[in-house]
Amino acid sequence: MPIGVMATLRGDHMYEFFDRLVNIALPRVRDFRGVSTKSFDGRGNYTLGLRDQLIFPEIDYSKIDKQKGMNVTIVTTAKSDNEARALLKHMGMPFRQQ
């Protein structure tokens, strides 16, 4: 009985997924005001939890039997959370105003 999947994206696939996540999927979340700035791990990596995969427009709603979420971890080469936050903000990550 499968319980989960993990995929690592690099190169063009990674940038394409990040672009779709930031510019298409996240703005489709109801009452979206930005992502939290508190989800860094202390080493420059960021994890984001999504409650529903249907925010991605390429997923066919009629083929989904139940709502499923996912965690997205963005691993950077930044040495600190502040460096990673600046990098992701520069790449277009919509951080919530504190």
Side-chain angles (χ1 to χ4, degrees), residues 23-74:
N23 296 312
I24 298 171
L26 289 177
R28 292 180 68 170
V29 173
R30 185 185 316 184
D31 298 328
F32 181 71
R33 291 183 178 90
V35 295
S36 174
T37 58
K38 298 178 183 180
S39 296
F40 288 93
D41 67 352
R43 296 185 176 140
N45 304 314
Y46 185 78
T47 299
L48 169 68
L50 302 173
R51 293 184 184 194
D52 191 3
Q53 79 271 22
L54 291 174
I55 62 172
F56 291 96
E58 59 270 14
I59 297 177
D60 186 6
Y61 182 79
S62 64
K63 294 182 180 179
I64 302 299
D65 57 345
K66 69 178 195 173
Q67 182 178 350
K68 296 176 186 146
M70 67 179 81
N71 289 331
V72 176
T73 300
I74 301 169

